[in-house]
Amino acid sequence: MRRRAEVAVVGAGAAGLVAARELLREGHTVSVFEKSGRVGGTWAYSPRADADPLGSDPGAPGAVHSSLYASLRTNLPRELMGFSGFPLAGRAFAGDPRTFPGHREVLAYLDAFAADSGVAPHVRLRAQVLRVRPLCPGRGQGEKWAVAWRGEDGDVAEEAFDAVVVCNGHCSVPLVPKIRGINKWRGKQMHSHNYRTPEPFQDQSVVVVGLGASGIDIAREISHVAKEVHISARYSEGRLGKIELYHNAWMHSEIECIQDDGQVRFAEGSSVAADTILYCTGYRYHFPFLDLDGFTVDDNRVGPLYKHVFPPKHAPNLCFVGLPYKSIIFQALELESKWVAAVLSGRAELPVEEDMTADVEEEYQRMEDAGKPKRHTHTLWPRWVEYLNWVADQVGEAHLEPRKCEMYEKALKCVWSLDEGYRDRWEEESIGSG
Ligand code: FAD
């Protein structure tokens, strides 16, 4: 017989919404706790940024969750950004039918998804989860959980659930690298979490650290108003020097230090005087409401977690959806959610605790042998297809369509090309090819 669990979901971003849909489909009872006043998570753009441009204190009053900038368009085509049965492709939700739509379109899609899937009535808005703790500690299916949360009126309540699915997002708390000699830096510093528009960088010389999707977008946008843009990237070999595509931008290797004269020195030996260092260096996993023995975030490795989802000691009643990155994210969220829902009902089975722990340890060992740093634990690249297909197998879902895999790889190459026009050109090319 299928087990029907009472499940708390923390967060109503894309992960929390699809997790709730899959849990409801599987027959579970669901309460989604969302600390903000709406669903959509990171896609709810905020023109306001944190008071501290480095966003050093995620618990500060008024800390902003979303890391979007005003001009942001998706870096994946819309076909790769919808959930099954409710595609984002082929229609417009906020009047922006482009293949790579602006952020408002994705937010409108998520609003519509919450309504269409029947999840919306299960979301408690302005309900911040403060603490998640095991009740009458047991093991496996028997373990229950207490969720303490603060509502709009400021009152704190605690409720018991059979299971908790953590979907609190991981693109909100800035990861800022330590730079040797930063105490000699007299200019400004900011993390991309707090970047909104290019105007404040008018006529400045800006060092942009990091060459991920945001770093590339932001460096390009700033280059239209700034005097000079210097991109500092770890994997920049073969691309050092002036960037052909821009009239005022240069590629450098990692920052080596801040010199005594306050200039930024790069590992390849050049140095520049700059006004601002803008860190586009990614985010930290942060679970301020979780304090569990043996469960840690160490150098951005959340663990131990079996396949990024289940902590062996507390599986299956505590689990995480949405930790891995560098894949077709919406598809990963949906597959992980289906897995969680099926395991909680008993339709899918997990290995015993010892075997899950052994699997995690083997994975850590594989990383170490390959010289992969801990902080890359949840990067799915380059084995992202293997992971998604493995999760699909757990719940009897079809493997990824090769066409979608190719589309994803093509989108990544486009991002890394640094070329401004790839989004619109993609559209023209697909029209051209019929
Ligand atoms: P979030 O969207 O962050 O949602 C988490 C939710 O949890 C939030 O609503 C938050 O308020 C809530 N919450 C947190 N803590 C608590 C608490 N204690 N109590 C209650 N509620 C809580 N992905 C793509 O697929 N394509 C893209 O083009 C793309 N571009 C991106 C660009 C940027 C700049 C960023 C930052 C991310 C981008 N992403 C993109 C990744 C994006 O993060 C995912 O697509 C997805 O939205 C993540 O959803 P999530 O639900 O895991 O997290």
Side-chain angles (χ1 to χ4, degrees):
M1 211 183 65
R2 294 243 182 117
R3 173 186 181 232
R4 282 161 190 253
E6 277 193 39
V7 187
V9 174
V10 184
L17 293 176
V18 73
R21 180 183 78 168
E22 298 307 329
L23 288 162
L24 289 170
R25 280 179 165 177
E26 194 75 18
H28 301 295
T29 308
V30 178
S31 301
V32 184
F33 293 86
E34 169 51 53
K35 70 178 178 185
S36 78
R38 64 162 3 278
V39 303
T42 208
W43 293 99
Y45 170 72
S46 157
R48 193 173 64 78
D50 289 335
D52 167 13
L54 287 177
S56 314
D57 179 8
V64 175
H65 182 82
S66 177
S67 301
L68 299 191
Y69 29 97
S71 66
L72 183 132
R73 289 174 67 183
T74 64
N75 49 51
L76 295 182
R78 58 198 300 146
E79 203 178 333
L80 300 184
M81 287 189 59
F83 297 122
S84 65
F86 196 76
L88 174 57
R91 50 200 176 149
F93 292 85
D96 181 357
R98 292 175 296 179
T99 303
F100 294 81
H103 53 80
R104 279 176 199 82
E105 179 70 11
V106 182
L107 183 63
Y109 165 78
L110 290 173
D111 279 337
F113 175 77
D116 179 82
S117 61
V119 165
H122 299 268
V123 181
R124 306 188 200 177
L125 297 176
R126 298 180 193 84
Q128 179 177 9
V129 170
L130 303 175
R131 179 125 202 250
V132 171
R133 67 181 173 93
L135 271 177
C136 54
R139 278 288 209 265
Q141 300 273 16
E143 197 174 34
K144 283 205 166 230
W145 291 83
V147 173
W149 59 284
R150 183 165 47 222
E152 199 173 1
D153 52 14
D155 288 352
V156 175
E158 192 169 61
E159 286 173 54
F161 290 90
D162 296 315
V164 177
V165 185
V166 177
C167 304
N168 65 325
H170 56 81
C171 292
S172 284
V173 183
L175 186 65
V176 177
K178 286 192 179 72
I179 294 179
R180 194 155 59 84
I182 195 69
N183 57 326
K184 294 175 218 144
W185 174 250
R186 295 290 164 260
K188 293 187 189 119
Q189 296 183 78
M190 177 192 259
H191 188 277
S192 58
H193 170 62
N194 289 311
Y195 173 83
R196 297 293 179 269
T197 60
E199 288 77 24
F201 302 92
Q202 184 80 38
D203 299 325
Q204 285 196 8
S205 174
V206 184
V207 174
V208 174
V209 187
L211 200 54
S214 294
I216 292 170
D217 266 355
I218 292 172
R220 189 165 50 220
E221 182 164 82
I222 286 179
S223 75
H224 294 305
V225 301
K227 191 166 73 187
E228 288 178 2
V229 175
H230 296 272
I231 303 176
S232 163
R234 196 171 274 143
Y235 307 108
S236 54
E237 302 89 45
R239 301 173 94 175
L240 294 178
K242 175 85 178 31
I243 302 173
E244 286 293 315
L245 290 166
Y246 314 149
H247 72 282
N248 58 350
W250 287 261
M251 183 74 77
H252 302 269
S253 43
E254 279 183 280
I255 296 182
E256 190 176 271
C257 66
I258 305 299
Q259 297 178 169
D260 289 341
D261 62 2
Q263 292 203 0
V264 180
R265 184 176 178 83
F266 302 99
E268 84 272 9
S270 65
S271 53
V272 296
D275 300 291
T276 302
I277 301 178
L278 177 41
Y279 300 99
C280 300
T281 40
Y283 295 90
R284 278 197 291 128
Y285 292 96
H286 186 55
F287 307 98
F289 46 84
L290 266 183
D291 180 13
L292 295 172
D293 235 13
F295 183 78
T296 56
V297 181
D298 176 16
D299 194 14
N300 241 12
R301 167 180 285 173
V302 184
L305 279 181
Y306 179 61
K307 308 293 185 198
H308 309 282
V309 175
F310 292 102
K313 187 174 164 196
H314 299 288
N317 290 358
L318 177 71
C319 50
F320 296 74
V321 167
L323 297 198
Y325 56 96
K326 288 224 172 124
S327 79
I328 306 176
I329 292 176
F330 276 50
Q331 195 148 2
L333 298 179
E334 179 168 340
L335 284 169
E336 289 182 345
S337 297
K338 285 185 192 301
W339 187 30
V340 160
V343 168
L344 287 176
S345 72
R347 188 164 61 83
E349 253 187 60
L350 290 178
V352 295
E353 182 185 334
E354 293 70 29
D355 290 352
M356 287 191 275
T357 304
D359 184 273
V360 177
E361 277 162 10
E362 273 166 34
E363 184 55 34
Y364 290 171
Q365 191 58 50
R366 255 197 299 274
M367 284 185 65
E368 205 175 316
D369 294 345
K372 218 171 144 185
K374 261 188 199 170
R375 64 175 186 279
H376 291 175
T377 299
H378 305 292
T379 311
L380 293 182
W381 183 265
R383 289 165 56 205
W384 65 279
V385 178
E386 187 185 319
Y387 174 76
L388 295 193
N389 284 343
W390 185 91
V391 182
D393 285 342
Q394 307 312 301
V395 282
E397 286 286 311
H399 280 191
L400 254 71
E401 292 170 51
R403 197 179 57 84
K404 286 197 175 173
C405 301
E406 281 163 27
M407 210 185 266
Y408 177 74
E409 303 273 349
K410 178 180 165 190
L412 278 193
K413 278 199 193 114
C414 287
V415 170
W416 286 329
S417 73
L418 307 184
D419 183 355
E420 182 147 30
Y422 80 85
R423 292 179 171 95
D424 295 325
R425 209 165 28 254
W426 182 302
E427 206 135 11
E428 285 158 20
E429 280 166 13
S430 22
I431 293 166
S433 62

